[in-house]
Amino acid sequence: MLEFRPYSPPVEAMFSGIIAAVGKVQEVAPRTSGVRLTIHAGGLDLNDVILGDSIACNGICLTVVDLLPPGQPTAFVVDVSDETLRCTTGLTADGALNLEKALRLADRLGGHLVTGHVDGIGTVRHFAPTTDDTQGDWLLTIEAPEALAPFIARKGSITVNGTSLTVNEVEGRQFSINLIPHTLQNTMLHSLTVNAPVNLEIDVIARYCERLLSYTQS
């Protein structure tokens, strides 16, 4: 007798923007279209990761195609298309990467819903401690692309290199974020410099609101 199973549509990976570990690109190998990256997972536990799983790398959702070494993996391999390389930043040799495995339904949502689809590349305009204490909070100011600026709101959420952050102030295309010591110590954001590029993903709710408004007005 044939066994009928209900259709289960593919589920798009989602993330929270809470960084689990900082990894590093170990190897970049060219492909016919794009590159293949071997990424050391740092403190990210790969024992429950299988081929086909998604891992956000600096906010970019990438699919695991291999785990190394077999049995007790400490690194994973991903294929990156030319389109992804064109639209993002940070996937270079020896580059530090914020890493997060895809959410499960039972996981806590400590940040905000993140898709892993980078909307644009911003530029760091200011990065310095807020006081004379370099071990305290730091102020990060980023200039967003013109197309993304309307979606960034004071006290709203934004993802910077995969990290869920709260916008402190907005002025034109620039927005500022206060980074606490815990965030600096547990992400790659501490290594940013002025004029450095960063991956930005706007709040998914803002994205859908814009689509709804543009559709109803057309």
Side-chain angles (χ1 to χ4, degrees):
M1 179 180 294
L2 292 176
E3 180 182 358
F4 292 93
R5 297 180 181 178
Y7 170 68
S8 298
V11 178
E12 185 175 7
M14 297 292 287
F15 307 90
S16 69
I18 303 300
I19 303 306
V22 177
K24 185 178 182 180
V25 177
Q26 285 186 320
E27 182 181 352
V28 181
R31 298 190 303 131
T32 304
S33 176
V35 296
R36 171 164 286 196
L37 302 180
T38 300
I39 299 171
H40 188 274
L44 189 70
D45 183 8
L46 298 178
N47 288 316
D48 61 346
V49 174
I50 62 174
L51 302 189
D53 279 356
S54 297
I55 296 179
C57 305
N58 267 8
I60 309 161
C61 179
L62 298 174
T63 300
V64 176
V65 299
D66 201 2
L67 293 162
L68 303 172
Q72 294 292 326
T74 57
F76 61 97
V77 180
V78 295
D79 288 336
V80 186
S81 68
D82 284 332
E83 173 68 7
T84 298
L85 292 173
R86 184 182 66 82
C87 298
T88 64
T89 185
L91 299 179
T92 56
D94 297 324
L97 299 173
N98 288 326
L99 302 178
E100 181 192 357
K101 292 186 283 190
L103 288 173
R104 294 172 174 169
L105 287 178
D107 289 341
R108 291 181 177 179
L109 186 61
H112 71 284
L113 285 176
V114 176
T115 66
H117 300 160
V118 174
D119 292 303
I121 298 175
T123 305
V124 175
R125 294 306 184 199
H126 175 84
F127 188 44
T130 57
T131 68
D132 292 336
D133 181 11
T134 59
Q135 302 303 312
D137 294 356
W138 282 55
L139 182 67
L140 173 64
T141 301
I142 296 171
E143 184 174 308
E146 185 69 39
L148 297 189
F151 299 96
I152 302 171
R154 183 176 181 271
K155 302 307 178 184
S157 296
I158 192 163
T159 308
V160 179
N161 278 0
T163 311
S164 173
L165 298 169
T166 300
V167 176
N168 195 37
E169 297 290 345
V170 179
E171 184 174 348
R173 290 170 52 191
Q174 295 192 8
F175 62 95
S176 297
I177 297 164
N178 279 344
L179 297 179
I180 62 174
H182 178 85
T183 302
L184 293 167
Q185 293 163 8
N186 291 278
T187 70
M188 58 73 63
L189 298 181
H190 68 273
S191 64
L192 293 177
T193 57
V194 173
N195 294 325
V198 289
N199 293 319
L200 300 179
E201 181 185 331
I202 59 174
D203 190 347
V204 67
I205 297 175
R207 189 184 301 166
Y208 282 118
C209 286
E210 189 276 338
R211 171 57 180 160
L212 177 63
L213 289 172
S214 64
Y215 185 82
T216 55
Q217 293 171 1
S218 62

